Amino acid sequence: MQLYKQQQIKIYNSLSGQKETFKPINEGHVGMYVCGPTVYSNVHLGNVRTFMSFDVIFRYLKHLGFKVRYVRNITDAGHLENDADVGEDRIAKKARLEEIEPMEVVQRYTVDFHNILNTFNFLPPSIEPTATGHIIEQIELIKTIIDNGFGYEINGSVYFDVHKFNETHDYGKLSKRKLEDLIHNTRELDGQSDKKNPQDFALWKKAEPQHIMRWPSPWSDGFPGWHLECTAMSTKYLGEHFDIHGGGMDLKFPHHECEIAQNEAAKGQTPVNYWMHANMLIMNSKKMAKSTGNYILPGEIFTGNNPNITKAFSPSVARFFMLQAHYRSILDFTNEGLLASEKGFYRLMDAVNVLDSLKASKTSSIDINKWKQSCYDAMNDDFNTPVLIANLFEGVKYINQIKEGNISVTAEDLSILKETIHAFVFDILGLENNSKSQSGTDKLTGTIEVLIKLRQEARANKDFALSDKIRDELAAVGIELKDGKDGTTFSVN
């Protein structure tokens, strides 16, 4: 169904600095490239947040009926320390430290990456190319850049001539940086003497004798520059001019800036119509850092095995939490935020579970189609998931009011309500209905009943401190005990 003909999407384009109406190059088709991980360590939560943003965008475009080719790469050649032109290859460094082959490092952390994303219920991309699988394309791209006068070879390495490029092009237009300012702020570093200018970046690096990952090229046995990999893979699968290129805000400069320069130098045209950047993730209002302990791995959320959280959270609760912030906003990851999201998530799922039991009437006292369009309007406005979630909770109110008989809906409107809730909650936001797991519900009920029994025994033994502690600690995690003449009951808030 071609819903995209009825909906008009606006995307914040980092290139123009404003929201623009989305018009794909080819009607009904979307080409989207997102920079994937460098697989030398466990995927961190900031990566997950970025990829989740584009997973939702991918889901929404597919929901609207677009045929989407979503390309997300794996960087397995290993760019250098601090994304520089000098230093040690990250993957090779990990291999040396663990005394294994570089491709063992790549395999281990690629599997980890896929496992984590699968746990969060991500859809796989259409194509997931690897940097090492496209060495030939990268070499051919370098040849073209050299032939067009924007690359030069020195001592077996090839560099992009930023100053020459800037004479006829605008280097810095994405990040809004001027080359003059970059020149003024650049320190001369050891190992940069081969370059004509410090701002030039590597297209190909000659491998030192100890460098493990290397390939033959016309210039030397070496390895490609980091920026070049994405240019080669994006244009191979999406063409020289495609719709959307995404990634984290930290990639805007220099990575994406260099991608634009390479494409314009090689192909003579700007590669992408809409540049999208997801903002950073912080924790407890501070930058995440392993050194300070202000850090959590995605898998630790599911086990609760981290001092920054008080309990384990399901993947869908963590996903719901992250989608309550707009992708261009900074997200502060906190235990309190997760606990609040968990309550909201189960409220939403409780309403979803009630949907099938609702009864239709002959008339409707609410405008379901207006509410439905408000959900689309939220996503059409630069994929605004927090506003969408707020609108979904309006739908939750309707569900509860219909259940209680306070408002009425026709069979047709009830069908629209069900379809819309299911489409946005499951197909677009990618949440999973964990609350439908009867065994999980039974286990929770059984556990609470054991605690109620222990509390009753404590009261019988006049151990009121223990009795109050059980009641208060259950209340702290949203489980309220109610003492009545027929015994103690509980409710989950």
Side-chain angles (χ1 to χ4, degrees), residues 151-162:
Y152 59 92
E153 184 262 334
I154 293 182
N155 297 330
S157 291
V158 182
Y159 296 97
F160 188 94
D161 193 333
V162 170

Side-chain angles (χ1 to χ4, degrees), residues 1 21 26 55 61 67 70 87 111 158 214 223 227 269 299 307 325 348 386 416-417 424 445 454 474:
M1 192 173 178
T21 300
N26 300 305
D55 179 62
L61 293 172
K67 187 173 182 180
Y70 173 23
V111 169
V158 182
R214 58 172 70 215
F223 52 95
H227 312 307
Q269 62 175 318
L348 183 59
I416 292 170
L417 177 62
F424 281 94
T445 301
L454 289 173
L474 285 172

Side-chain angles (χ1 to χ4, degrees), residues 293-456:
N294 196 52
Y295 187 82
I296 188 168
L297 287 170
E300 293 171 345
I301 300 169
F302 315 142
T303 63
N305 187 25
N306 184 287
N308 291 291
I309 55 175
T310 54
K311 63 187 288 291
F313 296 92
S314 75
S316 271
V317 166
R319 185 178 175 106
F320 184 66
F321 165 76
M322 286 193 258
L323 294 177
Q324 286 182 290
H326 188 261
Y327 78 89
R328 286 192 292 112
S329 301
I330 292 174
L331 173 61
D332 190 3
F333 188 91
T334 66
N335 184 66
E336 292 73 20
L338 278 167
L339 289 169
S341 288
E342 187 174 53
K343 289 183 180 179
F345 173 78
Y346 284 112
R347 267 186 63 213
L348 183 59
M349 291 305 143
D350 286 345
V352 169
N353 294 340
V354 164
L355 270 170
D356 289 336
S357 65
L358 297 181
K359 306 295 183 187
S361 303
K362 291 182 179 179
T363 59
S364 283
S365 55
I366 52 172
D367 189 339
I368 286 292
N369 282 308
K370 183 179 179 182
W371 167 78
K372 174 183 174 180
Q373 187 57 45
S374 74
C375 294
Y376 280 100
D377 289 345
M379 288 301 288
N380 292 341
D381 183 17
D382 195 30
F383 311 102
N384 200 322
T385 55
V387 172
L388 168 63
I389 288 168
N391 291 335
L392 289 174
F393 276 108
E394 283 298 309
V396 168
K397 285 183 186 175
Y398 291 153
I399 291 167
N400 291 332
Q401 288 173 326
I402 295 166
K403 178 187 173 186
E404 292 161 9
N406 295 330
I407 60 174
S408 61
V409 287
T410 63
E412 182 182 356
D413 281 356
L414 186 55
S415 177
I416 292 170
L417 177 62
K418 289 178 182 178
E419 287 174 10
T420 305
I421 287 281
H422 277 273
F424 281 94
V425 170
F426 302 122
D427 298 344
I428 295 166
L429 291 181
L431 301 174
E432 294 182 290
N433 194 352
N434 302 338
S435 65
K436 275 192 171 178
S437 170
Q438 193 60 46
S439 63
T441 304
D442 290 343
K443 286 176 184 176
L444 175 64
T445 301
T447 302
I448 296 171
E449 285 174 352
V450 168
L451 290 168
I452 289 172
K453 188 176 179 182
L454 289 173
R455 180 169 173 264
Q456 288 169 341

Side-chain angles (χ1 to χ4, degrees), residues 28 51 86 99-100 160 169 175 182 205 233-234 236 245 275 315 331 342 414 426 444 490:
F51 299 135
V86 294
E99 297 183 335
I100 57 177
F160 188 94
H169 298 75
S175 58
L182 294 172
K205 285 290 290 180
M233 289 183 281
S234 62
K236 174 165 183 173
H245 193 314
W275 284 90
L331 173 61
E342 187 174 53
L414 186 55
F426 302 122
L444 175 64
F490 72 91

Side-chain angles (χ1 to χ4, degrees), residues 82-116:
N82 303 315
D83 307 332
D85 290 334
V86 294
E88 189 171 7
D89 179 299
R90 291 179 176 185
I91 291 171
K93 181 179 179 180
K94 189 79 167 187
R96 178 175 55 78
L97 291 173
E98 298 194 12
E99 297 183 335
I100 57 177
E101 281 290 321
M103 279 302 159
E104 287 183 75
V105 173
V106 166
Q107 178 70 6
R108 176 184 301 172
Y109 295 112
T110 300
V111 169
D112 170 73
F113 174 67
H114 287 147
N115 285 343
I116 290 296

